[in-house]
Amino acid sequence: MIFRSATRADVPAILALLDDDEISRSRQQVVSEGDDAACWAAFEAIDADPRNELIVADDAGAVVGTCQLTFIPSLSRRGAERMTIEAVRVRTDLRGHGVGRAMMLWALDRARERGCGLAQLTTDKRRTDAHRFYAGLGFTASHEGMKLAL
Amino acid sequence: MIFRSATRADVPAILALLDDDEISRSRQQVVSEGDDAACWAAFEAIDADPRNELIVADDAGAVVGTCQLTFIPSLSRRGAERMTIEAVRVRTDLRGHGVGRAMMLWALDRARERGCGLAQLTTDKRRTDAHRFYAGLGFTASHEGMKLAL
């Protein structure tokens, strides 16, 4: 398994992973999202942005996991970037087999390479398995993650 | 009071606001941070990035509040950006006078102008006043905010 930046060809597989999740499905009505011009524009925006990386876990050509890394420059913490991790998904049939852990360890190494002082993410309070997973990687649930739909 | 993007001339005042906070002070040893080349480089990085905005609340020329807005393109939520808010501060003697509320309402309007689907932030679990403040603006503490120092 390798971890790499996503290409246009990976977008349908990534959208399928994002949609294969009960909590995410409850948030949006997906209508042929693969055809959606806004999704392609978002991919191009991420791909062109040196502070955003859309990552896939590639197992012999199959996309089995994904996450998005955003590197945020900041005046806090002596000017170091912080890495925000969003949209973490592993293919349902492979959960619990170490794919997510390997992907997160890879992402944390990316952050260290860039000199980030902090990695952060938010995870739905209903995802108790995810909390244990991230705690096992060293994350601390020190903050409230507050959201406002616009 | 107006809200505007920060200039280089605002950086010392912003650093003073970021430092004027008990929890933040406990996180870092600030050593002449105003002289720190990394802070200036971070300011230049934010200033040049169309997806990062360092905002100040300007009251007759005095910087009385600050926050940083990051607009993250995403394949989730039909390609809409999400706005992350970081490093929110109001000058100590002005807290509870509506400066923060006005700044957040302004920031949420910025997000709507850009077509963001979601605004999000994390706030330390010890900041119970902040939780009430954000809840009053419509934010829901639906997520765990997990952090890992690198």
Side-chain angles (χ1 to χ4, degrees):
Chain A
M1 192 165 59
I2 62 163
F3 304 102
R4 58 173 175 78
S5 287
T7 67
R8 281 183 75 87
D10 298 315
V11 171
I14 294 169
L15 291 173
L17 285 176
L18 292 176
D19 190 38
D20 184 17
D21 180 273
E22 199 173 327
I23 289 176
S24 297
R25 267 198 305 272
S26 71
R27 277 203 299 254
Q28 58 185 352
Q29 301 300 111
V30 178
V31 183
S32 63
E33 196 170 24
D35 299 327
D36 192 331
C39 279
W40 288 110
F43 172 76
E44 299 297 341
I46 295 166
D47 194 44
D49 188 334
R51 292 201 180 90
N52 274 282
E53 297 181 3
L54 183 61
I55 303 300
V56 291
D58 177 331
D59 185 8
V63 171
V64 297
T66 184
C67 64
Q68 183 174 343
L69 310 179
T70 305
F71 301 97
I72 303 180
S74 172
L75 292 184
S76 307
R77 297 169 187 269
R78 298 190 181 187
E81 284 183 332
R82 56 180 73 194
M83 181 174 76
T84 295
I85 309 171
E86 299 266 9
V88 179
R89 292 289 189 286
V90 169
R91 212 174 69 192
T92 313
D93 60 311
L94 293 174
R95 286 181 198 157
H97 290 72
V99 175
R101 183 173 173 83
M103 185 166 66
M104 285 301 99
L105 290 172
W106 184 89
L108 294 172
D109 279 345
R110 283 286 299 124
R112 288 189 191 95
E113 276 171 28
R114 284 182 70 112
C116 292
L118 185 77
Q120 62 183 16
L121 56 87
T122 64
T123 176
D124 196 294
K125 287 190 175 177
R126 292 167 288 178
R127 299 193 201 270
T128 49
D129 287 357
H131 307 162
R132 278 192 295 274
F133 168 72
Y134 290 118
L137 288 160
F139 283 87
T140 304
S142 55
H143 285 58
E144 293 289 345
M146 306 195 74
K147 310 269 175 170
L148 172 57
L150 296 171
Chain B
M1 192 166 59
I2 62 163
F3 303 102
R4 58 173 175 79
S5 288
T7 67
R8 282 183 74 86
D10 298 315
V11 170
I14 294 168
L15 291 174
L17 285 176
L18 292 176
D19 190 38
D20 185 16
D21 180 273
E22 199 174 325
I23 289 176
S24 297
R25 266 198 305 273
S26 71
R27 278 203 299 253
Q28 57 185 353
Q29 301 299 111
V30 178
V31 182
S32 62
E33 197 170 23
D35 300 327
D36 192 332
C39 281
W40 288 110
F43 172 78
E44 299 297 342
I46 296 166
D47 194 45
D49 187 333
R51 293 202 178 90
N52 274 282
E53 296 181 4
L54 183 61
I55 303 301
V56 292
D58 176 331
D59 185 7
V63 171
V64 298
T66 184
C67 63
Q68 182 174 344
L69 310 179
T70 304
F71 301 97
I72 303 181
S74 172
L75 292 184
S76 307
R77 298 170 187 265
R78 297 188 181 191
E81 283 183 333
R82 56 181 71 194
M83 180 174 76
T84 295
I85 309 170
E86 299 265 9
V88 180
R89 292 289 189 286
V90 169
R91 212 174 68 192
T92 314
D93 59 311
L94 293 174
R95 285 182 198 159
H97 291 72
V99 175
R101 183 174 173 85
M103 185 166 67
M104 286 299 100
L105 290 172
W106 183 90
L108 294 172
D109 279 346
R110 284 285 300 124
R112 288 188 191 94
E113 277 171 26
R114 284 182 72 113
C116 292
L118 184 77
Q120 63 184 15
L121 56 87
T122 64
T123 175
D124 196 292
K125 286 189 176 176
R126 290 167 288 177
R127 298 194 202 272
T128 50
D129 287 358
H131 307 161
R132 279 192 296 274
F133 168 74
Y134 290 119
L137 287 160
F139 283 87
T140 304
S142 55
H143 285 58
E144 292 290 344
M146 306 194 75
K147 311 269 176 171
L148 172 57
L150 296 171

